Amino acid sequence: MWDGPLEKIDEFRWRIPKSYKNGMRVDGIIYADEKLMKDIRHDKAAEQVANVAFLPGIVGASLAMPDIHWGYGFPIGGVAATDIGKGGVVSPGGVGFDINCGVRLVRTGLFEKDIKPRLKEIAVALFHAVPSGIGSQGEIRTTEKEEKEILLRGAGWAVKNGYGVEADLEATEERGAMDGADPERVSERAYKRGKQQSGTLGSGNHFLEVQAVDQVYDNQAAEILGLEAGQVMVMIHSGSRGLGYQVCDDFIKVMAGCPQKYRINVPDRQLICAPVESPEGREYLCAMRAAANYAWNNRQCMTHLTREVFEKIFAGSWQKLGMRLIYDVAHNIAKIETHLVKGKERSLCVHRKGATRAFGPGHPSVPEAYQTIGQPVIIPGDMGRYSYLLTGTQKAMEETFGSTCHGAGRLKSRHEAKKQVEFHTLMNEMEAKGIVVQASGRGTVVEEAPCAYKDVNDVVDVVHGAGIARRVCRLRPLAVIKG
Amino acid sequence: MAVRAYGSCLEDLFESAAWAAFGIMVEKIKNRPQSSLTEREIAVTGETAEDLLKAWLDELLFFFSTEHLILARVKAPEAGEGSFRAKVLFETFDPEFYSVKGEIKAVTYHELEIKKVRQQWQAQIIFDV
């Protein structure tokens, strides 16, 4: 239970004043309503919001989204922007181990009634086509030279090799590859850990889901996105696998001497950081971008494998089946972006750890097709309830450096969930809801039980209510594939 | 995921922590008859006992994720000033004998602590899973 100071700003925002701890450079602001705040107070996530406020160069506030929960050093669901010109830092822990963990949403022209009788068949086929992790290698094999190309070109590598089309890149954040990636900054160990993992899902909270549009809230945006109620979607949630974990770990070590070297005072070793304009900061960003590109390629490869499954089952090309990528977002990343700070344009390093970019209408980074509605924001929920598709807003640009929540947010630790949830009971509940589950282990399924998460409806109510994202539609799971 | 490991000496403590890590990742479903073991020598250095423990677990995690090697036995562990070494015997992952329980992404520095309580060594380790 956290009993630090929380001042209510309005219905959806709470302030941790910078006077709370000596060393805080800015306030902490948590987006939540009364109900979610009760859960947030249960762990030490709010203390971590205060700790992030120590980062040199931090501007605005140390922000937390309503899906915030306890992380390692940085909270998950946190946003921190530092001013590069004023000694602003970059922190590997502010991105997390799973660099560019993210989620993409592929629409189909199919409707729930078309696939309902073949749901089990689809789930089994997807489970076998999209490998999850240990013992299973990706169907898409790559040479050492190709791995380096992937780190440079990201999802562009997959498209070049026939695992996607140009329009997929158009509908991916950063067009599926960040500039400034340097494969030479990625260690041999990281290469080895990521080897043969292209096109693999991973385990933990990663998943592939077949979903149906359950409710449409914004008809105009839905029309532009090509969605209507009952339509079938595929959501893929995955990241940079072993390669990204190792890049983060390597740079926490590389930066071990930085607090002394640059006279930085942070209250937790996991918050270690270096100025963006320092050799350590620059090298981390080059390696992080390479890992991010690896993740985008990974999700693109899985999209290809998914399309192949649908082509086989429904005997038609994916184009004919209308399997267009709606969008792909990163929710663990640091980006150099321009934002207004006290009315002036500043170049900032925006850390989003368990937070999604949510750029509003008209922003040049938003694809042309979505210019009038803003950037699509994909919010995966839990396997038994819902997920959401939202859009970014101008208010998010003004208040949260163009950021919003990233998911439901964990409520119970994996250990607690395992103690409380019985596998067969959970499977019966899922079956009663008409949801097919295909997973390699029971452990991962019970850890991801709906009761282990906050209700994503509550989380989305807050970001929509606060105006830092706008609801477009809600998605209901039909088939869940887990590593 | 937080783990607390115990040992009568640092060598024991490091071995307990290693078993805990593999306990998160895999579960033995049946014994493998006369399985052939792979031996690796692991030697790590670090300024503090915590650094050494993290480096040791990092090595084991690396062997698991790159070669799918699972801890079978720790031989002749030796903790010295700023160093730890051991010969480690591993089994190779085979889904007939092991099931995968989960993935450890990394051993974090967050609240990583080793202390001696009465005659026993204790370590707290938080894994990112």
Side-chain angles (χ1 to χ4, degrees):
Chain A
M1 195 75 187
W2 190 74
D3 55 6
L6 276 170
E7 300 165 356
K8 192 168 181 177
I9 304 171
D10 55 33
E11 200 183 342
F12 301 114
R13 290 185 304 167
W14 304 74
R15 179 187 295 113
I16 304 170
K18 73 173 180 182
S19 56
Y20 167 53
K21 264 179 147 178
N22 199 8
M24 280 174 74
R25 294 165 190 262
V26 291
D27 292 339
I29 292 180
I30 300 175
Y31 283 76
D33 57 11
E34 298 268 358
K35 184 184 172 196
L36 285 168
M37 194 43 89
K38 273 189 198 152
D39 294 332
I40 293 167
R41 277 190 182 275
H42 269 293
D43 63 24
K44 288 187 190 161
E47 184 71 19
Q48 296 184 326
V49 175
N51 288 345
V52 170
F54 279 62
L55 293 183
I58 189 166
V59 290
S62 164
L63 298 165
M65 299 297 128
D67 49 339
I68 180 184
H69 57 107
W70 184 89
Y72 317 99
F74 277 73
I76 295 161
V79 177
T82 63
D83 189 330
I84 300 168
K86 292 184 177 166
V89 292
V90 61
S91 171
V95 171
F97 286 100
D98 197 357
I99 295 167
N100 189 6
C101 180
V103 55
R104 61 169 49 194
L105 187 66
V106 180
R107 79 183 280 285
T108 78
L110 299 163
F111 283 81
E112 195 177 348
K113 61 176 172 24
D114 304 324
I115 71 158
K116 205 80 186 173
R118 307 185 74 175
L119 207 50
K120 181 77 187 166
E121 184 191 350
I122 296 169
V124 171
L126 285 169
F127 179 76
H128 290 294
V130 181
S132 55
I134 184 172
S136 56
Q137 286 180 351
E139 181 202 289
I140 295 163
R141 302 283 171 88
T142 50
T143 62
E144 207 170 297
K145 198 178 152 213
E146 283 174 316
E147 292 265 328
K148 290 205 170 174
E149 205 190 327
I150 289 170
L151 299 193
L152 270 178
R153 298 175 62 125
W157 179 88
V159 169
K160 185 184 134 195
N161 286 277
Y163 306 127
V165 292
E166 192 62 26
D168 294 336
L169 301 181
E170 193 57 43
T172 303
E173 191 172 322
E174 302 287 337
R175 287 183 57 85
M178 283 176 93
D179 289 336
D182 184 354
E184 300 306 320
R185 300 273 81 83
V186 174
S187 69
E188 201 52 44
R189 263 173 106 85
Y191 274 110
K192 281 189 177 157
R193 281 187 74 180
K195 209 176 162 192
Q196 294 168 339
Q197 290 188 329
S198 284
T200 65
L201 191 59
S203 60
N205 61 351
H206 294 151
F207 66 76
L208 191 154
E209 273 185 18
V210 180
Q211 307 169 332
V213 177
D214 179 66
Q215 269 196 54
V216 175
Y217 305 94
D218 181 340
N219 288 321
Q220 194 202 341
E223 200 183 323
I224 289 170
L225 291 157
L227 308 174
E228 59 183 293
Q231 200 173 335
V232 173
M233 303 277 146
V234 178
M235 186 176 278
I236 300 171
H237 179 205
S238 182
S240 51
R241 312 285 285 111
L243 184 132
Y245 313 158
Q246 191 63 43
V247 166
C248 179
D249 202 52
D250 286 343
F251 278 89
I252 286 173
K253 285 178 196 141
V254 166
M255 290 185 185
C258 289
Q260 270 188 317
K261 188 173 169 187
Y262 301 108
R263 298 185 179 184
I264 295 169
N265 168 32
V266 282
D268 186 322
R269 202 167 168 186
Q270 213 50 48
L271 293 176
I272 209 132
C273 53
V276 174
E277 293 292 344
S278 69
E280 296 88 349
R282 274 192 292 266
E283 280 181 26
Y284 167 68
L285 281 169
C286 289
M288 183 216 71
R289 290 173 187 132
N293 293 348
Y294 179 89
W296 270 310
N297 180 65
N298 202 20
R299 292 198 287 275
Q300 182 61 43
C301 290
M302 283 185 274
T303 305
H304 168 75
L305 299 171
T306 302
R307 283 170 171 162
E308 279 190 335
V309 166
F310 275 76
E311 283 181 333
K312 221 173 186 175
I313 291 178
F314 294 98
S317 71
W318 67 261
Q319 288 91 342
K320 247 189 179 162
L321 293 167
M323 295 183 76
R324 176 172 59 79
L325 176 62
I326 288 183
Y327 205 62
D328 177 307
V329 291
H331 55 220
N332 278 3
I333 204 145
K335 298 258 193 85
I336 310 298
E337 294 171 357
T338 305
H339 290 274
L340 287 177
V341 179
K342 291 179 184 160
K344 284 189 180 151
E345 274 198 356
R346 303 293 304 171
S347 183
L348 306 179
C349 178
V350 183
H351 299 75
R352 296 188 182 95
K353 184 187 184 187
T356 314
R357 197 183 76 172
F359 283 179
H363 193 284
S365 300
V366 175
E368 210 182 316
Y370 304 142
Q371 276 288 316
T372 56
I373 57 169
Q375 175 214 307
V377 173
I378 305 155
I379 307 297
D382 64 73
M383 63 160 101
R385 281 181 284 201
Y386 303 100
S387 293
Y388 275 88
L389 178 62
L390 317 173
T391 47
T393 62
Q394 183 53 35
K395 198 165 180 205
M397 303 308 295
E398 289 156 15
E399 280 189 12
T400 56
F401 308 103
S403 315
T404 197
C405 65
H406 87 306
R410 196 166 264 284
L411 191 60
K412 288 180 184 155
S413 71
R414 289 180 161 91
H415 188 65
E416 271 178 286
K418 264 187 177 164
K419 277 200 294 192
Q420 291 172 13
V421 180
E422 201 275 318
F423 178 73
H424 292 288
T425 315
L426 175 62
M427 286 301 98
N428 289 339
E429 280 170 24
M430 298 291 279
E431 201 183 328
K433 288 181 180 172
I435 304 168
V436 175
V437 180
Q438 199 67 35
S440 51
R442 290 176 177 197
T444 351
V445 178
V446 293
E447 282 172 14
E448 296 300 311
C451 69
Y453 285 90
K454 297 179 196 181
D455 187 339
V456 70
N457 294 304
D458 296 342
V459 170
V460 169
D461 280 351
V462 169
V463 294
H464 180 85
I468 55 169
R470 203 178 139 83
R471 270 191 218 106
V472 176
C473 70
R474 189 167 77 169
L475 307 152
R476 181 167 37 85
L478 300 173
V480 179
I481 287 90
K482 292 200 69 71
Chain B
M1 182 178 288
V3 161
R4 196 157 288 152
Y6 300 90
S8 58
C9 55
L10 276 178
E11 286 85 351
D12 268 5
L13 181 75
F14 278 39
E15 185 173 345
S16 304
W19 285 110
F22 280 91
I24 292 169
M25 297 189 287
V26 290
E27 186 171 14
K28 198 172 225 173
I29 40 182
K30 66 176 177 186
N31 280 323
R32 190 180 334 210
Q34 289 184 330
S35 58
S36 59
L37 301 176
T38 306
E39 186 175 306
R40 290 275 192 281
E41 178 145 3
I42 297 179
V44 294
T45 55
E47 275 180 33
T48 64
E50 284 85 358
D51 287 337
L52 286 176
L53 178 61
K54 173 168 160 52
W56 154 249
L57 294 172
D58 279 348
E59 287 302 307
L60 295 170
L61 202 59
F62 182 71
F63 285 125
F64 178 68
S65 55
T66 53
E67 297 178 54
H68 306 155
L69 295 180
I70 296 170
L71 179 64
R73 202 183 329 150
V74 179
K75 277 187 358 189
E78 210 183 301
E81 192 67 35
S83 70
F84 177 79
R85 60 172 63 241
K87 287 190 173 113
V88 183
L89 295 174
F90 293 98
E91 275 185 43
T92 305
F93 175 80
D94 180 334
E96 200 189 330
F97 303 101
Y98 282 96
S99 69
V100 177
K101 283 173 72 185
E103 183 180 43
I104 293 180
K105 291 177 191 160
V107 183
T108 75
Y109 285 111
H110 190 61
E111 293 176 4
L112 177 63
E113 189 186 33
I114 294 180
K115 60 184 177 187
K116 199 171 182 185
V117 180
R118 290 184 208 99
Q119 291 309 304
Q120 199 173 40
W121 288 92
Q122 273 185 25
Q124 175 174 277
I125 310 138
I126 296 178
F127 295 106
D128 188 355
V129 294

